[in-house]
Amino acid sequence: MSNEPVEREPIERVRARLDALAKANAAPRCGARSKRTGLPCCAAAMPNGRCRVHGGKSTGPRTPEGLERSRRANWKHGHFSREAKAKRSRVRAAILAVRYLGDSI
């Protein structure tokens, strides 16, 4: 140990840090419940009432361009597209018509 004096932080800076900490702790909390423990989330909430993990900032695309881009990004194979359903419906109707003609002969 040395006999040199320990330099301490000025009291104003200590008070400022404590005030900032008190403000941070006073922020509203997320409160989303954990499935595993049942305890509420303690992260600071955003204006929507949830934290960035439980209520993320994204609300999804709103503009027509964004909605179209999202629709194209989720496209898998086209089996359930409007055009494919209409084609299957026409083929089914043609098969029924051929059966009906075959039964009537």
Side-chain angles (χ1 to χ4, degrees):
M1 285 251 0
S2 64
N3 291 332
E4 296 175 18
V6 177
E7 186 175 329
R8 296 190 178 231
E9 200 171 0
I11 192 74
E12 295 84 25
R13 280 205 331 221
V14 171
R15 283 195 179 120
R17 282 184 28 206
L18 287 175
D19 288 342
L21 188 60
K23 285 180 185 175
N25 286 335
R29 299 294 159 187
C30 172
R33 294 278 175 178
S34 168
K35 278 195 281 187
R36 190 180 56 188
T37 65
L39 298 174
C41 174
C42 296
M46 296 185 302
N48 67 0
R50 294 292 183 205
C51 70
R52 60 188 172 83
V53 174
H54 295 111
K57 291 183 177 183
S58 176
T59 58
R62 301 282 186 187
T63 64
E65 298 85 23
L67 291 168
E68 177 64 24
R69 189 172 58 241
S70 176
R71 188 185 65 74
R72 279 187 280 118
N74 288 326
W75 183 268
K76 303 272 190 302
H77 43 65
H79 182 72
F80 297 103
S81 68
R82 192 175 297 133
E83 295 83 13
K85 287 180 180 180
K87 183 177 179 181
R88 286 195 300 272
S89 177
R90 286 192 305 270
V91 168
R92 215 171 16 252
I95 290 172
L96 288 174
V98 169
R99 279 187 191 164
Y100 180 74
L101 286 174
D103 290 343
S104 65
I105 294 179

